């Protein structure tokens, strides 16, 4: 029996107008915070890209300054997740990728090879989790923005159908 695949983005279902109104109000507040988190994530992404593209001047920096810059970028990524609310989404995405990589190494390959590749790919997946977590905050915060926007639109759509029409004759 095949396991049913869960969608990455969920759709909210409402059973009362009050719940829809509360959800809509919460989503409006979350969207304002997520936009701030997205701007922080944009700054962090630009910082990582500049560090990568202009590697030669970065390598010529004193080690203390380079370390402080990297620490600022890592803290900025964490702040983008905390403010933008994409921390849960970040863990979800990174563990899905890590599980997929590890699964390939342990299950898809024949016996003598699976020990070496499974171990290697599992170690690479463990290394990849922080890399994804710190280097692509914009993508993951945007995923959270998309989910909250989807919930907001669902609440708005439900409110449109359950709100009585005024001045109807």
């Amino acid at each position: 029996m095949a396991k049913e695949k869960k969608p990455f983005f969920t759709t909210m279902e409402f059973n009362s107008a009050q719940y829809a109104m509360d959800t809509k109000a919460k989503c409006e507040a979350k969207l304002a915070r997520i936009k701030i988190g997205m701007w922080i994530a944009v700054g962090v992404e630009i910082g990582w890209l500049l560090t990568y593209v202009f590697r030669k001047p970065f390598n010529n920096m004193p080690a203390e300054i380079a370390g402080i810059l990297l620490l600022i970028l890592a803290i900025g990524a964490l702040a983008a997740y905390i403010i933008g609310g994409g921390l849960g989404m970040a863990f979800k995405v990174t563990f899905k990728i890590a599980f997929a990589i590890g699964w390939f190494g342990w299950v898809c390959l024949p016996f003598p090879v699976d020990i070496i590749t499974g171990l290697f790919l599992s170690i690479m997946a463990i290394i990849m989790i922080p890399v994804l977590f710190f280097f692509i905050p914009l993508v993951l915060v945007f995923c959270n923005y998309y989910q909250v926007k989807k919930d907001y639109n669902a609440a708005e759509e439900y409110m449109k159908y359950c709100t009585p029409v005024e001045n109807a004759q």
Side-chain angles (χ1 to χ4, degrees):
M1 190 176 256
K3 193 165 93 172
E4 186 176 329
K5 207 171 192 180
K6 289 187 211 173
F8 194 72
F9 296 106
T10 59
T11 304
M12 290 200 76
E13 296 179 10
F14 301 99
N15 55 5
S16 71
Q18 185 62 43
Y19 179 58
M21 286 174 30
D22 292 344
T23 302
K24 185 178 173 185
K26 285 179 186 176
C27 286
E28 286 174 347
K30 281 183 184 179
L31 286 173
R33 285 190 58 188
I34 291 173
K35 286 179 184 176
I36 295 169
M38 282 178 61
W39 281 110
I40 293 171
V42 165
V44 169
E45 285 290 325
I46 290 171
W48 286 122
L49 288 173
L50 289 176
T51 303
Y52 180 75
V53 171
F54 299 113
R55 192 177 301 190
K56 187 166 182 151
F58 186 73
N59 288 338
N60 292 336
M61 277 186 200
E64 295 82 17
I65 295 174
I68 290 171
L69 180 64
L70 292 176
L71 184 65
I72 288 170
L73 291 174
I75 290 171
L78 192 59
Y81 287 127
I82 291 170
I83 294 171
L87 199 57
M89 183 75 70
F91 285 125
K92 188 172 157 183
V93 168
T94 53
F95 280 113
K96 275 188 175 189
I97 291 171
F99 180 75
I101 290 171
W103 179 83
F104 177 78
W106 290 106
V107 177
C108 291
L109 298 172
F111 170 65
V113 180
D114 73 339
I115 295 171
I116 297 166
T117 57
L119 189 61
F120 176 74
L121 289 176
S122 295
I123 290 170
M124 289 303 293
I126 290 170
I127 292 170
M128 196 159 112
I129 288 172
V131 168
L132 286 174
F133 186 73
F134 285 115
F135 294 136
I136 56 169
L138 183 61
V139 173
L140 299 173
V141 172
F142 181 76
C143 287
N144 189 44
Y145 173 81
Y146 182 75
Q147 178 65 55
V148 172
K149 187 71 172 168
K150 195 171 180 180
D151 295 345
Y152 177 81
N153 290 339
E156 202 169 59
E157 187 73 23
Y158 184 82
M159 292 297 297
K160 190 175 5 176
Y161 287 116
C162 70
T163 306
V165 178
E166 296 179 20
N167 299 332
Q169 292 182 6

